[in-house]
Amino acid sequence: MNMSRRDALARDINLEDITSSKKNAEVLRKLRDNDQNWVDNALYIFEANEAEEAEDDDDDHGEMVFSIREGDDLGWLGYFIGRNQSLDD
């Protein structure tokens, strides 16, 4: 799929259809929309069990954690990260 076609699809895609949870869909929305309201302009990506441990430790990642589970389309995650201009390098 070429970039201009993917760019057009990215605006209209139902994010809950490409993720395993509403929380992950919200992370994708913030990435897609270049939301400036990140806690520390960082995104933490964990396997599902590691993410739960990180949240239990209350590391202040909160909404910035993407928990990888079955049903998550990591291609879209990579696309939105690559296009995002809000994250720190």
Side-chain angles (χ1 to χ4, degrees):
M1 181 180 301
N2 66 35
M3 282 304 242
S4 61
R5 186 169 170 211
R6 187 170 285 249
D7 288 342
L9 183 58
R11 288 188 295 272
D12 297 325
I13 196 164
N14 181 345
L15 299 174
E16 290 186 10
D17 289 345
I18 60 171
T19 60
S20 61
S21 69
K22 289 182 187 259
K23 188 171 185 177
N24 283 355
E26 181 64 12
V27 170
L28 290 183
R29 184 199 64 74
K30 288 182 176 201
L31 287 168
R32 180 191 64 195
D33 298 346
N34 282 304
D35 190 315
Q36 299 291 317
N37 296 316
W38 296 88
V39 173
D40 55 3
N41 292 343
L43 172 65
Y44 301 91
I45 303 171
F46 297 101
E47 290 184 42
N49 59 342
E50 293 174 343
E52 291 164 7
E53 290 172 12
E55 289 175 357
D56 289 344
D57 292 341
D58 196 23
D59 289 337
D60 201 25
H61 303 314
E63 63 190 356
M64 306 316 303
V65 174
F66 188 94
S67 304
I68 300 172
R69 296 182 178 93
E70 187 174 335
D72 289 315
D73 186 326
L74 300 182
W76 277 111
L77 175 62
Y79 171 82
F80 289 130
I81 289 171
R83 292 297 220 197
N84 186 275
Q85 298 171 356
S86 301
L87 295 174
D88 287 341
D89 292 333

